[in-house]
Amino acid sequence: TTGNLDTFIQAITPESGWRVLQSEGGWCAILEAPRFYGEEEWALMALQSHSVQFQPGYFYDFERGVFLVASLLVVPEVLEIALRRLPFLQR
């Protein structure tokens, strides 16, 4: 999962407004999203428009901010394909 986390970190450009946060469990990536949309809107946009699944941060009791959570327990090649599908992470 460490390699997949590194893939997330490398895929997100600083100009995008997204940020990968430190996570405790190591099995998921926590992304802080720009506040253009709420957590649910970002998650639905990723799923409906790009076929990539995230869970909104409120599933994990994040009380403030806009967060998405993604599993790191995926095949690295699948993760790389998913991240390439998300143009809003690379702006």
Side-chain angles (χ1 to χ4, degrees), residues 27-28 55-63 68-70:
W27 59 269
C28 65
Q55 295 177 328
Y58 64 79
F59 283 10
Y60 297 86
D61 297 326
F62 287 102
E63 294 180 13
L68 296 178
V69 179

Side-chain angles (χ1 to χ4, degrees), residues 28-90:
C28 65
I30 302 170
L31 305 175
E32 183 174 15
R35 295 177 188 243
F36 303 135
Y37 306 106
E39 295 171 332
E40 195 166 304
E41 289 85 7
W42 278 117
L44 286 172
M45 183 185 335
L47 183 61
Q48 293 171 343
S49 299
H50 307 289
S51 299
V52 177
Q53 183 178 9
F54 289 98
Q55 295 177 328
Y58 64 79
F59 283 10
Y60 297 86
D61 297 326
F62 287 102
E63 294 180 13
R64 296 186 189 151
V66 179
F67 300 98
L68 296 178
V69 179
S71 175
L72 293 175
L73 302 176
V74 296
V75 176
E77 294 79 16
V78 172
L79 177 61
E80 290 172 13
I81 291 167
L83 290 172
R84 282 195 301 266
R85 289 183 183 175
L86 299 169
F88 51 81
L89 294 179
Q90 290 102 29

